[in-house]
Amino acid sequence: MEVNLKGLGWIPFYPTPPETRTPDKSLDPTPPDPHTLVRQPPPPLADPPHDDHTTQGRTTVGG
């Protein structure tokens, strides 16, 4: 199979690994215990952008 990559042209692509490639047996296949996982806090909220031109009791909208 070949894939057309922009700027590189047609490149051979083999989606299936060779039969000689086997998974690493040293990796632990069991998922971690969810009770021991620590949830990371969310990132701090950013201040909203401020307008340098504040109105002082008067508006520029006519009516």
Side-chain angles (χ1 to χ4, degrees), residues 49-55:
H50 297 286
D51 189 7
D52 292 339
H53 304 289
T54 58
T55 57

Side-chain angles (χ1 to χ4, degrees), residues 19-40:
E19 290 182 19
T20 57
R21 187 171 175 197
T22 59
D24 188 3
K25 301 274 187 204
S26 66
L27 297 176
D28 186 14
T30 58
D33 182 16
H35 298 291
T36 61
L37 298 177
V38 178
R39 183 177 290 237
Q40 297 297 316

Side-chain angles (χ1 to χ4, degrees), residues 1-5 9-10 12-14 16 19 21 24-28 31 40 43 45-47 51 55 57:
M1 173 184 283
E2 291 184 344
V3 179
N4 189 7
L5 298 177
W10 288 94
F13 175 71
Y14 306 102
T16 307
E19 290 182 19
R21 187 171 175 197
D24 188 3
K25 301 274 187 204
S26 66
L27 297 176
D28 186 14
Q40 297 297 316
L45 298 175
D47 289 336
D51 189 7
T55 57

